[in-house]
Amino acid sequence: MKLAREKGIVVRIGVLEAEQLKQLLFSRYPFDESATFARFGWRESPDALILTLAAVEPPQPGDLDEAAAHVVINEPYTLRMALTAEQNAFGIGVLHSHPRNCAPHPSSIDDDMDSYYAAYFGDFVPDRPYVSLIVSLIEEELVISGRIFWKNEWHAASHFAIEHTPCTTYGGEERTTSIPYDRIARLIAAFGEEAAARLSKATVAVIGAGGTGSIVIETLARAGVGKLILVDPDFVSESNLERLHGAVPDDAAEKRAKVEVARRHVLSINPQCEVDAYRGSLPHPDVVDAVVRADVALGCTDQQHSRLSLSDLSVRYLLPSIDCGVMLEGGGGNVTGQIVQIVRFLSHDPCALCREMISPDRLASELMDDEEKQRRQAAAQEALERGEDPNPYWIGAPQLNTVGYLTGVAGSMAAGYALGWLSGRFDPPFERIQLNLVAKYLDVQEVDHQRRSECSCSRSRGSADQGLGYALISAPPHWEKPTRVP
Amino acid sequence: MSRERILRELSLLREGGQVTELVTNGRDYVIYRDVPTNGPRFGLPSTSDVIVPVPAGYPASPIDLAGLPQGSMLLPRTKGGQNNQGVVHVGGRTWQLASYHPHSNGGGPPWDQTKHGFHTYFDHLVSWLERLT
């Protein structure tokens, strides 16, 4: 079967579905295969197709021929999936296992099955991707291959990203180790060579290249992460230099983009690291196109729209994320609290709205264009002069204070947890914590929230662009198109 | 703008018989057709078309403001109608926006995108045109 390779095809799977798949697909291990159908959301950009496993459609008794060692799917199961697909917006996928320690290389039987299914489902629901994945356990490592029929062409899956679960893409893009092992000898001694190899193949998106983001970026680059996607709309100013790793006074004088400075700094640490830098913001569609290709994303801004967007991407595109923030309480020489917050966003976690992390007033003012801001500020002033409440018109956002050592703590912690996920060595032992650097025992608090059943995040897991109607935020039309820093 | 979300919300209104349109004129607006008013009490029309701007970043930002066709005799009798919030030309007509802020201390609950939308904003518009003074 001839496979087109001009598009990067990334298949994303949530950790809950991954566990469900392991139960289903390895149920007849070590010698016999098994299978299931699933539904997939998708997002297409000029150079990539992102597929998200939205739901597993497990077989019912009698749907598979249990007498055969290889997979035989009985017709009622296939027809049921086709009819179900007519009732939803998703693409159809079939996932099956190969025996333990057998490569997930498609056999001629697999070729016949895929040719038949691509045509069969295409008759029921045209213009949707058909996804075929083969999963195997090879020396206890999860190895996956995939091919996708999309717009009358077969494409090979180039990368699989399972939420905080390492896996190997069979026949996918192999990035050679991008940093000399001598430089990361202590990391290898702690986590092993396998972890270092995983980091070199990993892609991490960092949203925000300011004080917190710059230490995150530096930590990831020094650890040998193979590819970084950097996003920030701002330029360096004098007041950034106290905490912006890699920046020098000349950058402020020249008003260089923060992502340009970050990119330069990464390449000075590791010239082999691949860096895509965008001057822009989430949720601009061009930035979303870039970010959803990452294995992990880190949110390092105090912007409400960025935080909400990242939360939305973690739900709809199954992009595991870690958001970090800092806050100095008090001021004028009397600092009463120095707060660091780290938040995990997995696709089944409560979103930023459910966690009450978003200030609606700040969010709305961030999203307005300048004309609307000026009109509202003037209306608020007029309301004050009339003796009325100015808040319906305008609520100003206070300038948040911060210092470099605080952003350094937050960024280092977040980068560490990302490295733990990517290497498969450890997870954040919390969903959301806050700690106060000037309180006894740091006053560590775990903040627990539940998903609200009425929230969009409860209905849109893995839905990708097919769940746009449940998006928590959209890009304002007045935003400039992001630019890619060369 | 989340066009998909807005169309879903407007389809809910259509199921109940309310006609609406999502229109674009540089910026996006929703026009509610023939919203009932308390106008006959003042010798004014019993219905009016109403325009509402789609806020930037919707649904992250609250729906705010409401407008009537410029020159409407209803406008001076509405809450905020004498506080002009701008004039827009949409759908071949000129509209005047009033200072009506139901989700910003204006009488309604605080904006909650998980509960509110252009379908629930219709209730505020009916209330707005019912309480003419």
Side-chain angles (χ1 to χ4, degrees):
Chain A
M1 194 174 279
K2 190 166 180 285
L3 298 176
R5 279 201 177 270
E6 64 271 24
K7 261 191 187 301
I9 308 273
V10 179
V11 181
R12 312 195 67 96
I13 300 175
V15 66
L16 298 183
E17 285 71 23
E19 289 304 316
Q20 188 182 6
L21 287 173
K22 284 182 195 170
Q23 296 283 325
L24 283 168
L25 298 180
F26 302 149
S27 61
R28 303 204 304 158
Y29 253 33
F31 303 114
D32 293 348
E33 303 175 352
S34 192
T36 182
F37 281 112
R39 62 176 77 172
F40 284 83
W42 75 93
R43 176 184 184 85
E44 187 178 29
S45 65
D47 59 353
L49 178 66
I50 310 297
L51 294 146
T52 55
L53 198 156
V56 178
E57 304 275 8
Q60 304 300 310
D63 280 344
L64 302 178
D65 184 349
E66 299 289 339
H70 65 281
V71 167
V72 177
I73 297 175
N74 292 323
E75 180 59 17
Y77 190 16
T78 310
L79 179 60
R80 196 167 73 242
M81 289 306 103
L83 296 175
T84 302
E86 285 184 320
Q87 306 302 314
N88 63 49
F90 295 102
I92 300 176
V94 62
L95 298 87
H96 78 277
S97 53
H98 276 183
R100 183 186 286 271
N101 292 328
C102 286
H105 188 81
S107 65
S108 58
I109 297 175
D110 296 333
D111 288 348
D112 291 345
M113 177 187 76
D114 282 339
S115 297
Y116 172 74
Y117 277 158
Y120 178 87
F121 291 126
D123 285 343
F124 281 85
V125 283
D127 305 321
R128 298 190 200 175
Y130 164 73
V131 182
S132 175
L133 308 185
I134 305 174
V135 183
S136 188
L137 266 184
I138 298 178
E139 295 175 356
E140 301 312 309
E141 176 91 13
L142 193 62
V143 184
I144 314 178
S145 74
R147 53 190 175 187
I148 291 87
F149 190 67
W150 174 239
K151 295 186 175 174
N152 296 317
E153 268 192 317
W154 285 98
H155 302 264
S158 50
H159 186 65
F160 288 90
I162 303 179
E163 278 184 321
H164 79 80
T165 306
C167 70
T168 298
T169 303
Y170 181 80
E173 292 167 355
E174 287 297 319
R175 193 179 287 131
T176 55
T177 301
S178 63
I179 197 162
Y181 270 15
D182 286 352
R183 289 200 204 160
I184 51 172
R186 302 293 180 270
L187 185 146
I188 290 173
F191 298 124
E193 267 193 39
E194 190 181 43
R198 285 171 177 163
L199 294 179
S200 74
K201 292 175 191 168
T203 300
V204 181
V206 183
I207 316 304
T212 311
S214 63
I215 186 69
V216 165
I217 292 164
E218 177 165 343
T219 304
L220 297 174
R222 289 190 186 281
V225 168
K227 180 172 179 179
L228 294 170
I229 298 166
L230 311 180
V231 178
D232 196 299
D234 291 337
F235 298 94
V236 179
S237 66
E238 283 285 333
S239 67
N240 299 143
L241 295 176
E242 183 262 338
R243 60 194 172 279
L244 197 62
H245 290 245
V248 294
D250 191 45
D251 294 323
E254 295 292 326
K255 290 189 168 41
R256 293 197 175 96
K258 287 181 179 175
V259 288
E260 181 186 350
V261 171
R263 183 174 187 276
R264 182 189 69 203
H265 192 48
V266 168
L267 295 178
S268 72
I269 294 166
N270 178 12
Q272 300 302 311
C273 185
E274 197 179 336
V275 185
D276 283 351
Y278 295 86
R279 202 176 70 73
S281 293
L282 282 175
H284 192 285
D286 292 2
V287 176
V288 172
D289 283 343
V291 169
V292 294
R293 299 180 71 163
D295 294 291
V296 170
L298 290 122
C300 307
T301 81
D302 58 3
Q303 297 288 304
Q304 302 282 296
H305 63 269
S306 183
R307 185 163 280 149
L308 184 59
S309 301
L310 198 59
S311 162
D312 187 40
L313 296 187
S314 75
V315 174
R316 288 194 297 118
Y317 297 96
L318 308 174
L319 174 64
S321 307
I322 296 171
D323 183 85
C324 50
V326 300
M327 187 170 64
L328 273 179
E329 293 176 339
N334 183 27
V335 175
T336 54
Q338 303 187 29
I339 312 296
V340 169
Q341 175 175 268
I342 309 283
V343 186
R344 180 192 85 177
F345 284 119
L346 293 178
S347 62
H348 58 278
D349 285 335
C351 71
L353 291 176
C354 293
R355 283 173 160 153
E356 299 173 359
M357 292 170 62
I358 301 297
S359 159
D361 296 323
R362 275 189 62 199
L363 178 59
S365 62
E366 284 173 10
L367 296 168
M368 288 173 196
D369 59 27
D370 288 341
E371 183 191 339
E372 185 174 0
K373 283 179 188 169
Q374 288 166 10
R375 182 170 53 73
R376 284 177 173 273
Q377 285 166 0
Q381 185 60 37
E382 287 170 16
L384 268 177
E385 288 165 5
R386 291 193 304 270
E388 295 174 7
D389 178 9
N391 285 349
Y393 302 97
W394 178 256
I395 298 176
Q399 174 63 49
L400 298 177
N401 292 320
T402 188
V403 289
Y405 64 85
L406 201 55
T407 53
V409 170
S412 297
M413 288 179 71
Y417 289 125
L419 294 174
W421 269 352
L422 293 166
S423 63
R425 294 301 185 247
F426 62 95
D427 289 333
F430 54 80
E431 292 182 16
R432 178 184 181 184
I433 59 160
Q434 291 176 343
L435 50 101
N436 183 350
L437 268 58
V438 291
K440 191 173 183 182
Y441 305 124
L442 302 182
D443 191 23
V444 178
Q445 295 184 29
E446 189 157 1
V447 188
D448 190 26
H449 282 99
Q450 300 296 316
R451 222 170 208 184
R452 292 158 62 190
S453 59
E454 70 271 24
C455 183
S456 296
C457 71
S458 294
R459 294 190 286 270
S460 57
R461 247 183 100 238
S463 59
D465 279 9
Q466 288 58 56
L468 269 177
Y470 294 100
L472 302 174
I473 184 171
S474 59
H478 63 269
W479 276 10
E480 284 178 24
K481 187 175 172 60
T483 52
R484 191 169 175 181
V485 175
Chain B
M1 173 188 68
S2 175
R3 171 176 275 285
E4 293 79 3
R5 173 172 168 139
I6 296 172
L7 293 176
R8 182 161 49 85
E9 291 168 354
L10 299 187
S11 74
L12 293 172
L13 287 174
R14 190 167 56 246
E15 283 176 22
Q18 174 61 43
V19 177
T20 54
E21 285 174 58
L22 175 60
V23 291
T24 299
N25 186 14
R27 188 170 172 179
D28 297 300
Y29 298 86
V30 171
I31 297 174
Y32 297 78
R33 299 288 182 201
D34 297 323
V35 180
T37 80
N38 194 21
R41 188 175 148 209
F42 304 98
L44 298 173
S46 61
T47 64
S48 175
D49 292 350
V50 181
I51 194 166
V52 176
V54 175
Y58 185 77
S61 298
I63 303 172
D64 195 38
L65 306 174
L68 295 177
Q70 194 173 44
S72 167
M73 298 300 288
L74 295 166
L75 200 56
R77 294 184 177 275
T78 61
K79 183 178 183 181
Q82 293 182 327
N83 186 356
N84 186 351
Q85 293 296 296
V87 172
V88 294
H89 306 280
V90 180
R93 298 164 81 179
T94 302
W95 307 77
Q96 184 173 322
L97 298 172
S99 179
Y100 183 52
H101 315 283
H103 288 300
S104 305
N105 297 339
W111 174 252
D112 180 345
Q113 67 156 277
T114 67
K115 295 176 182 164
H116 306 135
F118 281 93
H119 55 314
T120 59
Y121 206 71
F122 178 66
D123 293 344
H124 296 295
L125 298 179
V126 171
S127 168
W128 184 52
L129 294 177
E130 172 64 25
R131 290 182 292 164
L132 300 174
T133 55

